[in-house]
Amino acid sequence: MMPEALRRALERERIWLRSEELPKDSFLQYYVDVGHIRALDSNANHLVSGRRGTGKTHLLGAFKEYINKSSKNTFAIMISILELSGSSTMTQGYIQSDRLARISARNQFNQFIRIFFDRFLFRISEHTSGLPHLEKRIVDNLLQDLLSEIELGSNFSEILNPDIDEDGSDRLANPSSVTFDPEHMIEETSDKSTPTSGSIDHQRVRMLVDKILQASGVELMHLLIDEWMELDKNIPSRVQNDFSQYLKKMFFNSNRISVVIASIWNQTSLYERSDMDTSAGIQIGHDIEHTVDLDTSFFDAEEEIKTFCKKLLFLRLSKKSPDLRKFELANGDIDDVFLVDVFDTPQNFKVFVAASHGIPRELMKIFQKASHKIQNDFQNNCICQRTIDLVAQNIYRQEKRETISPGSATKAMWARINDYMYQEKRRVFIIKDGAQKTSRAFRALIDHELIHELPMGSLPRWVRNKNRAFHIDYGNYVDWMQVHSSTIDEIVMESILPSWEGIEPSDLPNLTVEVLPDKDLYVICLHCEGLNLRDHPAFKKHGFCLNCGENPEFERSLVVT
């Protein structure tokens, strides 16, 4: 029965590789939570980071459904930057000046707050439907003021409503003069791309939102922003920084509003300090907490990764084939018999998880392609190690390897890592902690899933004290092993997390790959070998090293080989 149930599941159920493709309002039922939903459930501001496929959108969608279904006095609104036309049209070229970046950020933010208003109005209407008439009228008046501010700006709003108190109460003397109509407001605002005035008072908008939430009996609103890096993903500019500043003025510093931003870490820029007196954006650790890092904080032990992957795979398949649900135990665990029928041996499943690096989208992609190779025939076949290796190798050759531009700094960094693998015969390597932040080429390899950071908790103390460890992509490793005619047994010994047994601190130099900083952003002090950001205000003004305080000669060019 099990092989037939698997076949039916694969025939009836799409193996969704993107969260956006999931059925409507089903994020939560398909989400395997390891504590991240609870971590976001507060009135603090949160940053969620992770590479493509690690589940950023899925987490935000599941959190939104969790909040809106489980709490009477709290609601969540989710907006994707991809919904803004400016993310694809305003920034197609290279934004060379701060002025153009500010214009792009302002135009995109104007679109953002209009989308916010439509969804905010919908949620508030739900919460005020049972309020007494007079209390509902107060909320309606405040909503009218909020719409006027967003559409026309403060000057126009004050002209239209000169005698209205900010709490909306003065209009109660003449209720018939109130013309608020939520459906009409949505219809009127939905077909315009930008407000008619650039004089929006962001702090007044925040004050009105606060008052509306209070008058509606809402204790907390979660504003979830997905695909943040799409603001200026492919171009270096200040758009993210300036957009952050608008966002900060309008939604931060309120105990009734929590902002959650999801983005790819190496493409995220929230804060910019251009000189000694001015700054723009959101500071991590001060304005917002880096609460969830899906690249590194998922798991600390191999068994945890295997358990997560087993639950994820079972959840996806059992939705369309109820017969599979008999393998779910009373405590929520999944019977290992399920894995035996799919993979035959624990070793095959271990290789399957190792090939995916525990990334949900990669896991489902490999399963989809491997199932196709055996024609969904689990009666006579299983997903074995040889099939997994072939699928992972093809994904590397046909997809991942093609993302690197020939002759680029990323290509040079990738060649250096491959040279290391050839010399040391290892997949795992170490870099100095902090080096990943100073090299766009190295961060690009992380984003393209050609290297994968290992959880800090899985590393020996002597490694994690001053270093970070990475795994070279499994498909690349298989490809390299086969080119060098290595035996299949050597590949089978590969695990999800590397074994540090027999490796001593004295081996650190041999395990380390040098990551050179971006030569256009950093200057190396020849006295202490510390890095100095070229645009740091103190360095620009005084010229001394920010690490050692000396004022020696600096190396003005960094050669990247």
Side-chain angles (χ1 to χ4, degrees), residues 240-308:
Q240 289 189 45
N241 308 126
D242 291 322
F243 192 99
S244 297
Q245 186 68 12
Y246 291 132
L247 188 72
K248 180 178 178 179
K249 287 181 178 180
M250 187 170 288
F251 295 109
F252 281 51
N253 300 319
S254 168
N255 59 9
R256 291 183 183 271
I257 302 173
S258 167
V259 177
V260 181
I261 295 172
S263 187
I264 295 174
W265 178 245
N266 69 20
Q267 297 174 357
T268 302
S269 177
L270 296 172
Y271 184 76
E272 171 72 20
R273 188 174 180 88
S274 57
D275 55 52
M276 295 295 290
D277 302 315
T278 63
S279 62
I282 300 167
Q283 285 185 280
I284 297 175
H286 179 68
D287 301 310
I288 193 169
E289 296 298 326
H290 194 176
T291 307
V292 178
D293 180 359
L294 296 176
D295 287 331
T296 61
S297 67
F298 245 113
F299 316 99
D300 293 332
E302 187 163 314
E303 285 304 314
E304 292 179 2
I305 301 176
K306 290 164 65 175
T307 299
F308 169 79

Side-chain angles (χ1 to χ4, degrees), residues 412 449 507:
E449 300 175 18
D507 298 318

Side-chain angles (χ1 to χ4, degrees), residues 13 15-16 22 41 45 73 93 134 153 253 279 281 290 350 406 448 457 466 530 537:
E13 183 80 319
I15 303 297
W16 293 290
L22 286 169
D41 191 7
N45 302 309
N73 301 321
L134 291 182
N253 300 319
S279 62
H290 194 176
K350 179 180 177 181
H448 295 315
K466 296 182 179 180

